[in-house]
Amino acid sequence: MSGSLMNHITIRTPEECYCAICGVPFEHFLFQNRLQIAGEQPPLVINGRVCGYSPKVLSKRAALWLGKVHILGYANDEGIPILSGQGRLTTPGFIKLEHSDPRNHSMPFTLSYTCYQYMEDSVTVYPFHWPCYEIFASYIFPNVDDPTSLMDIEEVDSVFASLSNEEHSLQLETGAERRYGRP
């Protein structure tokens, strides 16, 4: 498929969208600047909580992968497993797949995609971070060189569908919901 055909793929997502595996949002995180770390400038406070990572603890470069999105799903009518290459959230509510990732060239461009939400004439897909998928696959297939190649996308889609809150994430009880009320 040519890059121009890929422009027809629309992946709709809620404004708040979380990784189906780890529950972390797909966004670039806030970092404190050197003046905030030195105490010369007040920190960013949101809802009474100090926000922003210290670059001494977590570098911006080390956190870049958190903004990279992949999607998986299963197009039942066509019998096609969906596993994208790399993409990113663009404007709120949309994921853009990167043309430079060859795995995106095999995405069926005649289908419409929606994250977490069930819509008529649309394939429900689940966004995730690739490192989270690798960890998930390694847990299911330990002691294998490439466990991601053994994953059954139709089965993973079925499990995710049974756990979806049909909004912006999977409905998983991790303990975080008691602390913060969110995934």
Side-chain angles (χ1 to χ4, degrees):
M1 172 187 341
S2 73
S4 63
L5 292 177
M6 265 189 52
N7 289 334
H8 293 98
I9 295 177
T10 301
I11 304 171
R12 290 182 301 268
T13 183
E15 285 188 32
E16 291 183 14
C17 187
Y18 300 87
C19 174
I21 300 168
C22 76
V24 171
F26 297 99
E27 59 187 34
H28 296 285
F29 289 85
L30 298 173
F31 284 86
Q32 297 174 4
N33 63 38
R34 62 180 177 75
L35 297 174
Q36 290 168 325
I37 293 169
E40 298 172 16
Q41 188 179 64
L44 175 62
V45 177
I46 300 175
N47 295 328
R49 299 176 72 184
V50 173
C51 296
Y53 289 102
S54 168
K56 292 179 181 179
V57 176
L58 177 66
S59 72
K60 289 181 182 182
R61 184 177 179 161
L64 282 176
W65 66 273
L66 293 165
K68 297 175 183 175
V69 183
H70 297 260
I71 61 167
L72 70 79
Y74 190 78
N76 288 318
D77 293 342
E78 293 80 6
I80 301 171
I82 307 295
L83 184 63
S84 80
Q86 190 170 290
R88 60 185 168 82
L89 287 177
T90 54
T91 57
F94 293 96
I95 293 173
K96 178 183 179 204
L97 298 178
E98 295 182 9
H99 296 287
S100 60
D101 191 326
R103 295 173 293 180
N104 290 329
H105 299 179
S106 63
M107 291 284 295
F109 66 92
T110 57
L111 301 176
S112 161
Y113 304 93
T114 305
C115 291
Y116 293 110
Q117 300 172 340
Y118 299 100
M119 300 179 79
E120 194 168 321
D121 299 325
S122 183
V123 177
T124 302
V125 292
Y126 303 94
F128 63 93
H129 300 112
W130 190 260
C132 298
Y133 186 68
E134 289 177 320
I135 293 167
F136 180 47
S138 294
Y139 180 78
I140 294 171
F141 298 105
N143 305 317
V144 175
D145 287 339
D146 183 14
T148 60
S149 66
L150 301 175
M151 296 292 281
D152 184 329
I153 300 303
E154 184 178 7
E155 288 296 321
V156 175
D157 173 78
S158 178
V159 169
F160 285 1
S162 72
L163 297 170
S164 178
N165 67 9
E166 297 186 35
E167 292 178 25
H168 48 64
S169 65
L170 297 184
Q171 193 66 37
L172 302 174
E173 292 191 22
T174 62
E177 65 281 350
R178 289 187 293 279
R179 293 188 301 269
Y180 307 112
R182 306 253 17 214

